[in-house]
Amino acid sequence: HQSCGRGLCQHWSRCMEGAAHAPLGVAWLEVNGQGRIQTEQKEALRNSLLQELKGRDLGGPQLATAELEVERFIQNGRVSVTNLNRLERRVQQLRVCTSNALSAR
């Protein structure tokens, strides 16, 4: 998905029809827009992303690792739809890896 320069593209809501939840960080992105994360915005973004992740059935170890991914994301300093999608894929991969490890036991 690409931004139209005025928030998220008009196709975003159509793409999300039938999705279980909104993409990670989309609410923050709609309010604050894309670009470099200002120092004063880092804590708000961190809290927003972590709050969303806590509602996504992540267990203790998964959540701890997801928190590290969020920190890494924030340190890189650029919010975009593409970067948020990448963060979400990394978090989903955590879920897959953990479930595979548990099913192998």
Side-chain angles (χ1 to χ4, degrees), residues 21-42:
H21 52 78
L24 188 63
V26 71
W28 193 92
L29 189 61
E30 287 177 340
V31 172
N32 297 285
Q34 298 190 110
R36 282 247 165 251
I37 304 168
Q38 302 302 313
T39 303
E40 61 275 3
Q41 294 177 316
K42 287 184 179 185

Side-chain angles (χ1 to χ4, degrees), residues 10-64:
Q10 63 185 355
H11 307 290
W12 188 267
S13 60
R14 196 168 359 130
C15 294
M16 289 311 303
E17 289 176 10
H21 52 78
L24 188 63
V26 71
W28 193 92
L29 189 61
E30 287 177 340
V31 172
N32 297 285
Q34 298 190 110
R36 282 247 165 251
I37 304 168
Q38 302 302 313
T39 303
E40 61 275 3
Q41 294 177 316
K42 287 184 179 185
E43 191 63 31
L45 176 58
R46 179 183 295 110
N47 291 338
S48 177
L49 292 172
L50 292 176
Q51 190 66 31
E52 287 184 55
L53 288 171
K54 287 176 184 174
R56 294 194 178 193
D57 298 329
L58 294 177
Q62 290 175 322
L63 185 57

Side-chain angles (χ1 to χ4, degrees), residues 73-91:
F73 174 80
I74 289 173
Q75 294 308 314
N76 286 330
R78 179 154 170 70
V79 178
S80 68
V81 173
T82 303
N83 288 344
L84 286 167
N85 286 339
R86 184 177 301 117
L87 175 62
E88 180 145 29
R89 285 192 307 271
R90 287 181 179 192
V91 170

